Amino acid sequence: MTKSFLSSPPPRTHFLWWFAAIFCAILTLAIIIAGIVIFIGYMVIHPRVPVISVVGAYLPHFNYDGAGVLVTQVNILIRSKNDNMKAHARFSNFNLELFFDGNRIAVLSTATPYEVKKNSSVDFNYEYTSDPIPLNPMQMNHVDESLKKDEVTFELKGGVRTQWRVGVLGSFKFLCHLNCQLQFRPSNGSYITRRCSSRSK
């Protein structure tokens, strides 16, 4: 006696599964296309992080009196540079502090945010006369050594926030941090030129 088996049709796939599959396929394709567009845009535009740097300085006065009180005058030229060919850059929270032997001499800052046009730069010239700074014996010895060597060193620390928008690449934000030494010849106030530029984080 032969038994016959009837095959039942496979269950139908629910339309929601089809919808989900199509949606995922479209989303994947969109992500791939967006990635290609961003990559091509980056290669064409090649965005660069704006920087701040010291491009000049002068030390008109640096000396202390018999009571061990130091007074100094310093001029520093800071340049904000935007090397991007396709976008303006916005700088904000600009704040730099100048130190000598642990003592803060001056604060270099801007009151409001500012913009630098594409492939351009903006210079800020800061001129400061410090308040009288009482020195301890160790610091006085340090000043004497600096005067004998005709080389005095300051520290400049701080940073600025930068932002710029480049077409399809969107908006970019960076914190540019600056930390370097400024060296001068006290005999004539000249600045010993060396690289002093910010680094992005």
Side-chain angles (χ1 to χ4, degrees):
M1 185 175 181
T2 304
K3 293 183 178 179
S4 61
F5 296 91
L6 299 176
S7 60
S8 58
R12 293 183 176 180
T13 303
H14 198 280
F15 79 94
L16 289 178
W17 288 109
W18 283 110
F19 176 80
I22 294 172
F23 176 78
C24 289
I26 294 174
L27 182 61
T28 302
L29 182 62
I31 292 174
I32 293 173
I33 293 174
I36 293 173
V37 170
I38 291 175
F39 176 76
I40 293 175
Y42 181 87
M43 295 303 294
V44 172
I45 300 173
H46 196 63
R48 299 179 180 180
V49 179
V51 298
I52 56 173
S53 57
V54 175
V55 294
Y58 181 60
L59 188 68
H61 181 76
F62 180 83
N63 212 333
Y64 72 96
D65 59 20
V69 177
L70 174 70
V71 175
T72 183
Q73 293 176 313
V74 62
N75 299 350
I76 301 176
L77 184 63
I78 304 291
R79 176 167 295 165
S80 302
K81 190 173 183 181
N82 175 24
D83 281 335
N84 288 290
M85 300 293 293
K86 303 291 184 180
H88 297 338
R90 185 175 187 269
F91 291 73
S92 61
N93 300 110
F94 181 102
N95 189 83
L96 300 174
E97 296 182 328
L98 184 69
F99 294 88
F100 173 74
D101 203 11
N103 294 299
R104 190 173 70 176
I105 302 297
V107 176
L108 289 63
S109 62
T110 57
T112 58
Y114 59 96
E115 287 195 356
V116 179
K117 296 181 179 179
K118 54 188 176 182
N119 196 30
S120 185
S121 62
V122 173
D123 292 345
F124 293 96
N125 187 36
Y126 293 93
E127 301 180 2
Y128 280 98
T129 299
S130 71
D131 293 330
I133 303 170
L135 302 176
N136 59 42
M138 184 177 296
Q139 290 173 324
M140 285 189 284
N141 288 335
H142 185 196
V143 172
D144 287 336
E145 291 176 3
S146 299
L147 293 173
K148 288 178 182 177
K149 291 191 302 182
D150 196 24
E151 184 177 298
V152 61
T153 301
F154 294 83
E155 290 183 325
L156 187 62
K157 300 179 180 180
V160 64
R161 293 188 180 276
T162 62
Q163 178 182 358
W164 77 104
R165 185 176 183 84
V166 184
V168 296
L169 300 184
S171 180
F172 294 83
K173 296 180 181 180
F174 287 92
L175 174 60
C176 297
H177 183 70
L178 187 145
N179 185 355
C180 57
Q181 293 183 336
L182 305 183
Q183 294 182 320
F184 299 87
R185 301 290 185 195
S187 59
N188 57 18
S190 62
Y191 172 55
I192 303 173
T193 304
R194 59 185 301 175
R195 185 180 184 277
C196 180
S197 297
S198 63
R199 295 182 177 181
S200 62
K201 288 187 176 182

